[in-house]
C-alpha cells in the first residue's frame, strides 16, 4: 500500500478524514467508568455566568455533564482500558537510564531548520494549558537503576524520582488496575496556563480594573515572591521561552480589553475580563491550529486539513462572505459547528500526553542577538535561561531582542540522539537532580501507555516485524536491537517514535500524528465555546472579528513593533525570520 503522505493530494486528504473518523469510533475510552468514590458536583453560578463564560476550574463546559473536563478529573485513554495495565515486573526492563544513555543522548545538536525556536516555546506553552500530572508523590519514589559503568555523579546517587501521584478518587483498597491519573489543570483549550485553573489564581493575576491582567510598567510580568518566577497561571518547568509567550499574551489580553471598552463603554471590570479571556483563548487555539501545526507538519495535506478544522474546506474567504453551509465540519469547519464528544466524554488522554514528549526541540545553548544590527549580545546555556534565573536575562535585554533571537534560531529535531544534554542531568531549583529522558521513558511505562508495537496496532497501524521497519538508519536499528535485547515488542513508545523515518516535511512521527489527527479536532469539537457557543452573542462580533483578523505575526507586531523588519515577508511566525544586520 502507498503511505497516505505519498498519495496525490485529494486522496491524502480523504485518508486523513478516514483516519480521524475511524479513531473517533475506535480510540476514545472513558476512565470515569472505572470505580470511583463519590465526588462533589460543581455548582452553577447564581447569576448564570457559567452559561456564557468559561469557569475558572473548567466546569459546565458541557451543561449536562458539568464535571467533564474540569480540573482534578481523570485523564482519558486512546486505547482500550484492558491494554493499559502496568507491567510492574517489567517496569525497568530495559533500564530507562540505559535507554537514555545509548539511544537518546545528543552527540551534536541536530537542528530542525524549517522551524524557529518560538515553535519549541509555543508547544510547551500550550501543553501547560492542556495537562499536568503534578510534581508526583514525594512519599512514593522510583529508584532508577544505575549500571556500574554509568558516569552519573556519585553525589547524586541513587537516582530517585517521585512516582506519579495516585488517583485519590479511586475507592480505598482499589488496586488501580487499569490505572487512572488526575489532570491538575483543566482539560479544555481555555488558556489556563495564562489564567490558572482556580478562582484564587485568576484573582491574583487581575488588576480588577478595566478587565486587565497585571503587568509592570517596564513591560515585564510581576514576580512571584515565593519562587522568583513570573506570576502566571502555571509556572512549572519555567524558562525564557515561557516568559516571552506569557508576557506577549498578557499584553494581548489587555489590548483586547481596550478594544472592548471602546466598543462597549458601559461594561464593568468582570464583563471586560470574561470576554477578553474567551477571545484570547480562542485566538491562541486558532494560532496553534492554522500556524504552529502547519509549521511543524509541513505537508500540503496538513496545511489544507488544519485550515479546514478552523475555516472548512470552502475556506476562510467563503466563510467570511457567506457564513456556514449547514452543520458540516468538513465544509465550514469545526468552529461554529454542533458540539460532539463522539464515543466518550471529553478528556485529555494519557496517550496524548505521551506523544507530546518533544524535549529534543530544546537546544542546550542559546545565542541572543541585538535587533538593531543583528550582532551577538550574549550566549547562555539551558540552565542559565531557566527557573528563577530567567528574570535576570529578561531584564538584561529588551524582550523584542529576545523574540528576534528566538525567531532566527532553530529548535532541535525530534529524533534519537538529540535529547538535550542538560536535561539528562537536570538540576531543579529545589535541589533534585535526575535524567529527564529516563524519567520520560519511565512515566509511559508507569502510566500504562502501551509500548511502541502494541500502540501501533491499537491505533490502526501495522505492527513492525524488524527494527529496520522502524528506521532506515542502520546504526539506529542495531542500537535498538541491542538495547531491547532483540525484542521488538519491548521498544518504548517514545523511542520508537523518535526513531521512525518521518513523512516529508514532518517534524514528528507518523505514529504520534495519528493521535494528533484525533485529538487536535477533538479539543475543538467537544468544547461548546468553539462549537455551538462560538457566536456573537457569547463572544461579541467585535471579539469574533478580532480572532478572525489576527495571527501570531500581528500579535508580535502589535506589542513589539521593533521586530517588524525581521518579519517582513514571513507568513508564519514559527518559520525562520529574516536575519538583520551585516
Amino acid at each position: 500500500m502507498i503511505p497516505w503522505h505519498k498519495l496525490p493530494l485529494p486522496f491524502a486528504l480523504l485518508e486523513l478524514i478516514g483516519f480521524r473518523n475511524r479513531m473517533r469510533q475506535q480510540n476514545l475510552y472513558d476512565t470515569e467508568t472505572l470505580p470511583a468514590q463519590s465526588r462533589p458536583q460543581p455548582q452553577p453560578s447564581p447569576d448564570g455566568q457559567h452559561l456564557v463564560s468559561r469557569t475558572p476550574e473548567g466546569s459546565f463546559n458541557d451543561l449536562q455533564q458539568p464535571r467533564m473536563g474540569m480540573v482534578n478529573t481523570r485523564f482519558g485513554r486512546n486505547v482500550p482500558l484492558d491494554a493499559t495495565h502496568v507491567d510492574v515486573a517489567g517496569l525497568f526492563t530495559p533500564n530507562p537510564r540505559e535507554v537514555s544513555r545509548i539511544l537518546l543522548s545528543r552527540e551534536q545538536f541536530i537542528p530542525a531548520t524549517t522551524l524557529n525556536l518560538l515553535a519549541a516555546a509555543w508547544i510547551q506553552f500550550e501543553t501547560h494549558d492542556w495537562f499536568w500530572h503534578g510534581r508526583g508523590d514525594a512519599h512514593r519514589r522510583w529508584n532508577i537503576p544505575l549500571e556500574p559503568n554509568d558516569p552519573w555523579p556519585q553525589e547524586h546517587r541513587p537516582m530517585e524520582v517521585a512516582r506519579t501521584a495516585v488517583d485519590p478518587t479511586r475507592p480505598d483498597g482499589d488496586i488501580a488496575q487499569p490505572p487512572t491519573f488526575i489532570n491538575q489543570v483543566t482539560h479544555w483549550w481555555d488558556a489556563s496556563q495564562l489564567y490558572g485553573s482556580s478562582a484564587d489564581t485568576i484573582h491574583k493575576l487581575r488588576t480588577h480594573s478595566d478587565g486587565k491582567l497585571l503587568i509592570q510598567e517596564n513591560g515585564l510580568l510581576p514576580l512571584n515572591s515565593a519562587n522568583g518566577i513570573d506570576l502566571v497561571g502555571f509556572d512549572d518547568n519555567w524558562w525564557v521561552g515561557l516568559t516571552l509567550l506569557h508576557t506577549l499574551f498578557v499584553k494581548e489580553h489587555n489590548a483586547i480589553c481596550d478594544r472592548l471598552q471602546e466598543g462597549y463603554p458601559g461594561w464593568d471590570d468582570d464583563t471586560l475580563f470574561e470576554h477578553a479571556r474567551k477571545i484570547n483563548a480562542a485566538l491562541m487555539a486558532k494560532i496553534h491550529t492554522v500556524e504552529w501545526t502547519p509549521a511543524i507538519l509541513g505537508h500540503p495535506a496538513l496545511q489544507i486539513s488544519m485550515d479546514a478544522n478552523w475555516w472548512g474546506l470552502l475556506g476562510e474567504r467563503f466563510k467570511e462572505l457567506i457564513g456556514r453551509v449547514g452543520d458540516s465540519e468538513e465544509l465550514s469547519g469545526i468552529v461554529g459547528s454542533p458540539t460532539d464528544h463522539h464515543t466518550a466524554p471529553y478528556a485529555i488522554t494519557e496517550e496524548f500526553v505521551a506523544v507530546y514528549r518533544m524535549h529534543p526541540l530544546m537546544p542546550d545553548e542559546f545565542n541572543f542577538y541585538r535587533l538593531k544590527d543583528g550582532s551577538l549580545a550574549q550566549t547562555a546555556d539551558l540552565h542559565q535561561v531557566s527557573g528563577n534565573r530567567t528574570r535576570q536575562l529578561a531584564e538584561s535585554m529588551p524582550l523584542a531582542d529576545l523574540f528576534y533571537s528566538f525567531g532566527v534560531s532553530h529548535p532541535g529535531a525530534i529524533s534519537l540522539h538529540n535529547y538535550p544534554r542538560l536535561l539528562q542531568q537536570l538540576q531543579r531549583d529545589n535541589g533534585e537532580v535526575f535524567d529527564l529522558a529516563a524519567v520520560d521513558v519511565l512515566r509511559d511505562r508507569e502510566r500504562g501507555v502501551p509500548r511502541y508495537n502494541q500502540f501501533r496496532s491499537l491505533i490502526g497501524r501495522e505492527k513492525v516485524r524488524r527494527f529496520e521497519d522502524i528506521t532506515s538508519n542502520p546504526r539506529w536499528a542495531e542500537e535498538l536491537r541491542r538495547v531491547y535485547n532483540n525484542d521488538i515488542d519491548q521498544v518504548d513508545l517514545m523511542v520508537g517514535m523518535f526513531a521512525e523515518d518521518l513523512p516529508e516535511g514532518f517534524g514528528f512521527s507518523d505514529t504520534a500524528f495519528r493521535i494528533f489527527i484525533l485529538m487536535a479536532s477533538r479539543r475543538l469539537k467537544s468544547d461548546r465555546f468553539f462549537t455551538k457557543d462560538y457566536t456573537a452573542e457569547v463572544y461579541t462580533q467585535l471579539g469574533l472579528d478580532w480572532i478572525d483578523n489576527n495571527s501570531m505575526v500581528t500579535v508580535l507586531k502589535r506589542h513589539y513593533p521593533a521586530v517588524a523588519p525581521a518579519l517582513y515577508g514571513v507568513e508564519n511566525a514559527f518559520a525562520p525570520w529574516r536575519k538583520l544586520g551585516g
Side-chain angles (χ1 to χ4, degrees), residues 333-382:
I334 293 173
V335 176
S337 70
T339 311
D340 193 341
H341 305 309
H342 302 292
T343 53
Y346 175 75
I348 291 293
T349 64
E350 291 290 354
E351 288 70 35
F352 179 82
V353 175
V355 302
Y356 269 94
R357 299 193 189 282
M358 296 183 175
H359 290 115
L361 288 168
M362 190 73 76
D364 282 295
E365 298 175 340
F366 299 80
N367 291 327
F368 297 106
Y369 303 95
R370 298 177 183 90
L371 185 54
K372 64 180 181 181
D373 58 10
S375 62
L376 181 65
Q378 58 179 302
T379 60
D381 65 30
L382 180 53

Side-chain angles (χ1 to χ4, degrees), residues 53-215:
S53 295
R54 293 186 180 275
T55 63
E57 73 283 357
S59 61
F60 291 100
N61 194 304
D62 185 298
L63 298 176
Q64 279 68 53
Q65 303 178 73
R67 282 182 50 83
M68 186 192 296
M70 68 182 290
V71 65
N72 294 326
T73 55
R74 292 174 180 171
F75 287 95
R77 290 287 186 172
N78 294 125
V79 298
L81 300 186
D82 61 8
T84 67
H85 288 256
V86 179
D87 178 14
V88 177
L91 203 61
F92 294 97
T93 305
N95 184 343
R97 169 66 177 164
E98 293 305 290
V99 173
S100 169
R101 289 178 59 205
I102 298 171
L103 295 172
L104 300 176
S105 295
R106 178 176 281 163
E107 296 161 351
Q108 63 179 38
F109 180 65
I110 307 169
T113 56
T114 60
L115 299 171
N116 67 39
L117 194 52
L118 276 178
W122 178 267
I123 192 54
Q124 187 182 20
F125 180 64
E126 288 295 283
T127 57
H128 283 181
D129 178 18
W130 303 330
F131 55 78
W132 190 46
H133 285 81
R135 278 293 180 90
D137 186 344
H139 303 292
R140 300 168 64 251
R141 305 182 73 82
W142 298 117
N143 187 338
I144 297 179
L146 298 170
E147 301 297 330
N149 64 342
D150 193 321
W152 189 255
Q154 192 65 38
E155 64 270 23
H156 297 307
R157 294 170 179 252
M159 189 193 300
E160 292 186 339
V161 294
R163 300 187 186 191
T164 303
V166 298
D167 177 358
T169 70
R170 296 297 284 257
D172 292 340
D174 188 340
I175 62 172
Q177 287 281 14
T180 53
F181 302 96
I182 294 295
N183 192 356
Q184 297 190 20
V185 298
T186 72
H187 296 252
W188 304 107
W189 210 345
D190 57 2
S192 63
Q193 80 278 37
L194 202 70
Y195 299 101
S197 295
S198 72
D200 285 346
T201 302
I202 289 178
H203 175 78
K204 293 174 184 176
L205 299 173
R206 291 178 58 180
T207 66
H208 297 285
S209 175
D210 300 328
K212 294 186 176 182
L213 295 172
L214 291 166
I215 194 164

Side-chain angles (χ1 to χ4, degrees), residues 20 24 135 139-140 166 182 189 219 221 286 321-322 423 435 454 471 518 527 580:
R20 184 182 69 183
R24 282 175 169 177
R135 278 293 180 90
H139 303 292
R140 300 168 64 251
V166 298
I182 294 295
W189 210 345
L221 299 177
K286 177 195 170 191
L321 293 174
I322 307 299
L423 293 184
D435 178 350
Q454 184 188 14
T471 175
L518 172 64
D527 191 325
L580 304 178

Side-chain angles (χ1 to χ4, degrees), residues 13-31:
L13 287 169
L14 288 173
E15 280 285 273
L16 294 182
I17 293 171
F19 293 156
R20 184 182 69 183
N21 291 342
R22 285 194 296 274
M23 294 185 75
R24 282 175 169 177
Q25 297 302 313
Q26 300 173 13
N27 291 102
L28 295 173
Y29 295 90
D30 181 15
T31 58

